[in-house]
Amino acid sequence: MKIRTKIMLGFLILAVMLAVAGAYSIYELTTIGTSVQKLLDDNYKSINAAKKMIEALEREDSGVLLLLSGKWKQGRETITTAHENFKKAFETAENNLTIEDEKQYVDKISTLYSEYRRLWDRPIVGTEYEDNLNWYFEDVHEAFKDVKIAVQDLMTINDKAMYETASNLKNRAHRAVMPGIIAIISALVFTLIFNFFINIYIVNPILSIIRSVNDFITKDEPVFVDIETNDELSELADTVSKLASMSRLPK
Amino acid sequence: MRLRIILRYIGYVLLFNALFMLISAGVSFFEGDSALLPLLFTSLITALIGVFPIIYVPATENIHNDEGLFIVVAGWLLSSLIGALPYIMWGGPFTFTNAWFESVSGFTTTGSSILNNIEAIPAGLLLWRSTTHFIGGIGIIVFMLAVVPSTGQAAMVLYRNEISSLAVENFRYRTQKTLQIILIVYFGLIVLETISLLILGMSFFDAITHSFATVATGGFSPKDTSVAFFNNPAIEMVIMVFMILSGIHFALIFLAITGRMDLLWKSSIVRYYIGALLVSVLLVTINLHGNVYANWLDALRFGAFQVISLGTSTGFATTDSNIWPGFSKLILIFFSLQCACAGSTSGGIKVDRIILTLKSIVKHLKIMFHPKGVFAFRLNKTIIDNSIVEAGVVYVVLYLLVVFTSSLVLTFIGVDIMSAFSGSVAAMGNVGPGFGMVSSLSNFSQIPEMGKWILSVVMLLGRLEIFALLMFLCRRALR
């Protein structure tokens, strides 16, 4: 292999190392960006919706208590507003199914909420249910708790998924940094090896040729340099040697 | 010593590693797992550094002994360092210390792990983890032939005594030929075991990774509960047979396969090795029956597997031997110290040196009764020089000294005495599991960071038979 190719190869290897490490880091950093967006879109939206559903449920529960105490107008108003809020939040959750089995959780909320709604949708004020705390604690409150637990379950799986995505992000950040560190250390080691080889196979032979030519000039010693490699330097040594022998020949 | 020649051959070692990283990356690609990029990147970096000296330095076949020593020892250390890179890049439980420990454990074919949840690791990275055993096994073979001669006549006799019949049989008894023979046996055993495990219903991935770990006497399993995961006596039986075979001098196996089966039975080392295993299986079975297992069959099944696993320095597990009675534990610790025969991929003091030490004791007793008597040492009918026996005994003493020092340091940094001692024995013998918090179905994740570094040095000392690593590190001082 020729000297030019050898030197080029050394720099090429260095360039490839740094380029690949850079590309890898860029890829991982881009993935981090996507993961952050995913974290916000997928999980945070569902968690927020679940929080809103719980808030609406609690308002509905307060509305039911108002109806029980005979305050029909206030109770119905509270319930209607809360129901609208619940529906909105539920729709958000229903349209944001991003985790495996999340649909089952949403369906469960839907079923349990229908049962809960059936209980307070009927007339209460002026019926046998007015002031009926037994009915409230045995039926309504139990149904309310079931829906709330189902919504909390939905929040928990999204919480878990968010935690996993965040852990994954931590790993991604680690993976984005590591190629750089490894490439820098490898490049340093490689530079040392490259420098060593340049010394052994390029600088030392040149010095040997110079020394031999000087010996020829000052001490009239024959020019002989043993070059290990088969490149321009060995050709140069041969040529110099030939030149020296020719100059010794009588003219 | 010519550094450029050393660099050239280390380049080959790095290229070899890069090739297997690439294969593991291929598995990651097909599995679609997250280890693909870390494996590809490290493969490329390793290949680039490896290929450079090969291109620059002209080839030479004339390698001096000390250069050979440097190539193998530095190759081993560099492989361990490079081998840790895919782990470090993948992240998860792999801090730098953990990655280094896992890599050294793989390349030295120890099989100790820091992983709590092995099955959560991507398939590509698990294959790389098993491949470190495979490469380590080849490293041991090269070590036997390239480095052992430079560590003196004593070690050479130890390794070549069993295969002296190769020379008698008019084989071209040269390193290259022996290397070929031993590699044939190494690959042959892996292929045979893989096929056997496939027939018994293992997946190809499980079969190949377990075969790598068995024949290299490593012990890394891609399952959290090691071989216990399969709960299959037939699979255990096959692994036991291959563990025993992998503990015998590979050239002796070659001779046995090629029609000289009689040499196996004639070898006093193999007779002692098999005999000691059989007697111990019997004793452990008796000890376990009633204490741990209600029926004899279970006591035999689990007892035999654990004795053979530790007695060959493999380290697979089918049960948690930490709950076994003290007697059985002591037998396992003895085997973790002794391990199998020289010339195999096994670690430990080795049967050959144990026999030499025992014979040395007998000789001294004889001299006490007959002070003027002249007694010769014989091993397989070959007269062994006194200096060789002496070197063997010195090795045993030095080996135990390393184990004791390591245990002492580990207890100083807070590791309990059982875990410290058994962990040191397991690391030095390249066995894998110990007792206490590093028991057969547990791992080394609870060991403090400093402890992991100490144990990784101990693993390297054990694998490089102490003297090689000392010669490498203290070359100038020893001159």
Side-chain angles (χ1 to χ4, degrees):
Chain A
M1 194 181 282
K2 300 292 173 195
I3 293 175
R4 187 183 295 176
T5 322
K6 282 180 184 173
I7 294 173
M8 282 274 286
L9 190 75
F11 286 113
L12 190 71
I13 288 177
L14 266 176
V16 170
M17 270 184 196
L18 297 173
V20 170
Y24 191 159
S25 292
I26 289 167
Y27 169 76
E28 290 292 350
L29 284 170
T30 317
T31 321
I32 288 175
T34 319
S35 298
V36 171
Q37 195 59 45
K38 188 174 150 48
L39 189 127
L40 292 172
D41 286 348
D42 297 356
N43 309 123
Y44 186 68
K45 215 187 256 181
S46 293
I47 290 168
N48 212 23
K51 277 182 187 166
K52 282 183 181 163
M53 276 194 267
I54 288 172
E55 205 180 301
L57 277 172
E58 277 164 358
R59 294 296 303 145
E60 281 172 357
D61 189 46
S62 306
V64 174
L65 284 171
L66 284 169
L67 291 177
L68 276 177
S69 61
K71 293 172 183 167
W72 184 85
K73 199 183 170 205
Q74 277 176 283
R76 281 296 161 196
E77 268 176 18
T78 311
I79 286 177
T80 310
T81 317
H83 176 62
E84 285 305 314
N85 290 342
F86 185 88
K87 260 175 46 182
K88 265 190 212 164
F90 181 77
E91 273 169 22
T92 308
E94 202 177 24
N95 294 325
N96 192 39
L97 300 175
T98 51
I99 308 167
E100 205 187 325
D101 298 337
E102 196 175 4
K103 191 174 184 319
Q104 286 173 23
Y105 287 85
V106 173
D107 288 346
K108 194 180 172 189
I109 293 170
S110 173
T111 312
L112 291 172
Y113 184 70
S114 299
E115 281 171 28
Y116 176 54
R117 193 183 162 189
R118 190 179 48 81
L119 291 169
W120 49 254
D121 234 6
R122 68 179 68 163
I124 294 171
V125 179
T127 67
E128 59 180 300
Y129 299 114
E130 188 175 337
D131 284 334
N132 191 345
L133 284 176
N134 277 345
W135 171 73
Y136 172 77
F137 281 112
E138 281 170 15
D139 294 351
V140 183
H141 194 65
E142 286 304 312
F144 160 75
K145 277 200 305 189
D146 287 346
V147 189
K148 196 175 168 182
I149 289 168
V151 177
Q152 277 170 339
D153 285 346
L154 177 72
M155 198 153 78
T156 308
I157 59 156
N158 274 287
D159 261 340
K160 268 189 191 167
M162 196 156 91
Y163 180 77
E164 275 170 24
T165 316
S167 303
N168 193 25
L169 268 178
K170 193 184 151 197
N171 258 341
R172 289 275 183 188
H174 173 88
R175 278 177 216 163
V177 172
M178 286 321 290
I181 296 174
I182 291 170
I184 288 168
I185 297 170
S186 308
L188 281 174
V189 173
F190 183 78
T191 310
L192 288 175
I193 298 172
F194 188 29
N195 186 41
F196 173 73
F197 285 145
I198 294 276
N199 255 316
I200 294 277
Y201 293 112
I202 297 173
V203 178
N204 285 353
I206 291 172
L207 291 175
S208 298
I209 294 170
I210 294 170
R211 209 175 298 126
S212 194
V213 170
N214 280 339
D215 287 347
F216 170 74
I217 296 165
T218 55
K219 300 173 193 165
D220 199 29
E221 282 179 7
V223 176
F224 176 73
V225 186
D226 184 24
I227 308 267
E228 220 180 298
T229 50
N230 186 23
D231 53 22
E232 290 93 331
L233 284 171
S234 63
E235 285 171 28
L236 177 69
D238 286 345
T239 314
V240 171
S241 179
K242 272 182 206 160
L243 183 72
S245 356
M246 280 168 70
S247 68
R248 279 181 158 185
L249 293 173
K251 285 180 186 170
Chain B
M1 197 158 54
R2 298 160 300 171
L3 185 59
R4 57 189 190 279
I5 303 294
I6 293 168
L7 284 172
R8 181 183 165 86
Y9 283 89
I10 285 175
Y12 283 117
V13 174
L14 293 182
L15 276 187
F16 195 62
N17 275 301
L19 173 71
F20 282 96
M21 280 178 192
L22 197 64
I23 293 170
S24 303
V27 170
S28 266
F29 177 74
F30 284 112
E31 292 287 324
D33 66 43
S34 55
L36 174 64
L37 286 178
L39 283 163
L40 265 183
F41 179 74
T42 39
S43 168
L44 183 70
I45 292 279
T46 311
L48 287 176
I49 297 180
V51 79
F52 192 63
I54 297 172
I55 291 170
Y56 251 81
V57 184
T60 175
E61 286 190 357
N62 178 26
I63 304 169
H64 309 143
N65 273 351
D66 55 346
E67 287 168 352
L69 170 87
F70 252 70
I71 291 165
V72 177
V73 178
W76 222 305
L77 294 174
L78 268 176
S79 294
S80 299
L81 191 66
I82 293 279
L85 294 183
Y87 300 135
I88 295 171
M89 288 200 59
W90 187 76
F94 294 110
T95 58
F96 181 70
T97 305
N98 284 350
W100 166 256
F101 183 89
E102 200 76 7
S103 182
V104 171
S105 175
F107 281 107
T108 55
T109 75
T110 305
S112 303
S113 181
I114 51 87
L115 291 172
N116 281 313
N117 188 1
I118 298 169
E119 284 161 55
I121 303 295
L125 207 58
L126 283 180
L127 180 65
W128 169 244
R129 184 170 169 261
S130 297
T131 306
T132 56
H133 274 343
F134 172 72
I135 300 172
I138 293 175
I140 297 163
I141 293 163
V142 177
F143 173 79
M144 277 185 245
L145 301 161
V147 177
V148 166
S150 63
T151 58
Q153 194 204 358
M156 211 160 121
V157 169
L158 191 74
Y159 278 91
R160 296 199 169 177
N161 174 56
E162 286 280 40
I163 49 171
S164 52
S165 47
L166 282 170
V168 177
E169 290 293 312
N170 274 333
F171 271 98
R172 281 196 306 146
Y173 184 58
R174 288 202 323 227
T175 301
Q176 208 175 346
K177 185 73 189 170
T178 320
L179 182 70
Q180 279 173 12
I181 288 168
I182 293 180
L183 282 177
I184 287 168
V185 174
Y186 186 70
F187 287 109
L189 286 175
I190 288 174
V191 171
L192 273 178
E193 189 185 348
T194 306
I195 292 168
S196 309
L197 292 175
L198 280 172
I199 291 168
L200 292 171
M202 256 197 200
S203 68
F204 182 72
F205 181 82
D206 286 342
I208 194 88
T209 49
H210 280 92
S211 301
F212 280 170
T214 310
V215 181
T217 63
F220 276 159
S221 167
K223 303 293 176 197
D224 286 325
T225 47
S226 191
V227 179
F229 171 88
F230 302 98
N231 192 24
N232 183 332
I235 284 177
E236 288 163 26
M237 192 70 84
V238 165
I239 291 177
M240 275 195 280
V241 168
F242 280 93
M243 283 195 290
I244 293 173
L245 286 173
S246 307
I248 298 172
H249 200 304
F250 281 6
L252 206 56
I253 295 177
F254 178 83
L255 288 166
I257 295 165
T258 50
R260 295 298 311 270
M261 188 66 88
D262 57 309
L263 288 172
L264 269 182
W265 317 124
K266 278 180 188 166
S267 163
S268 57
I269 292 158
V270 176
R271 280 205 308 271
Y272 169 88
Y273 165 62
I274 303 286
L277 283 177
L278 286 176
V279 170
S280 303
V281 166
L282 188 71
L283 291 173
V284 169
T285 305
I286 293 168
N287 186 235
L288 291 180
H289 179 250
N291 284 319
V292 184
Y293 302 105
N295 67 65
W296 283 102
L297 210 61
D298 277 350
L300 177 67
R301 178 185 163 189
F302 295 111
F305 191 92
Q306 224 53 29
V307 168
I308 293 168
S309 176
L310 269 65
T312 54
S313 87
T314 310
F316 280 142
T318 50
T319 185
D320 187 7
S321 51
N322 207 27
I323 55 162
W324 285 10
F327 175 79
S328 295
K329 280 185 184 173
L330 279 175
I331 290 212
L332 292 181
I333 287 178
F334 167 74
F335 274 106
S336 298
L337 282 165
Q338 175 193 278
C339 298
C341 311
S344 70
T345 51
S346 170
I349 292 171
K350 294 191 176 63
V351 167
D352 315 53
R353 289 196 184 94
I354 295 284
I355 292 177
L356 284 180
T357 311
L358 291 175
K359 289 200 173 194
S360 171
I361 294 168
V362 172
K363 185 185 171 185
H364 279 276
L365 283 173
K366 280 182 182 171
I367 289 172
M368 279 167 73
F369 286 109
H370 308 283
K372 288 180 182 172
V374 177
F375 304 99
F377 279 108
R378 279 176 197 277
L379 201 57
N380 287 344
K381 292 179 184 168
T382 312
I383 293 177
I384 306 285
D385 193 70
N386 270 340
S387 64
I388 290 158
V389 180
E390 195 183 306
V393 176
V394 167
Y395 182 84
V396 174
V397 173
L398 199 59
Y399 187 99
L400 296 175
L401 197 70
V402 174
V403 170
F404 178 74
T405 312
S406 164
S407 311
L408 203 66
V409 180
L410 286 176
T411 48
F412 181 75
I413 58 171
V415 180
D416 68 277
I417 190 163
M418 187 52 154
S419 307
F421 178 66
S422 63
S424 299
V425 169
M428 188 67 185
N430 305 122
V431 177
F435 295 102
M437 65 164 131
V438 295
S439 66
S440 53
L441 290 181
S442 189
N443 57 64
F444 285 68
S445 61
Q446 298 299 312
I447 298 285
E449 297 283 283
M450 170 72 91
K452 286 175 193 162
W453 281 100
I454 292 164
L455 287 174
S456 56
V457 171
V458 172
M459 281 185 232
L460 284 165
L461 272 171
R463 178 43 75 206
L464 297 170
E465 306 235 319
I466 308 171
F467 291 111
L469 191 63
L470 289 180
M471 280 171 74
F472 175 77
L473 296 174
C474 318
R475 188 170 157 267
R476 283 178 193 276
L478 291 173
R479 272 191 169 179

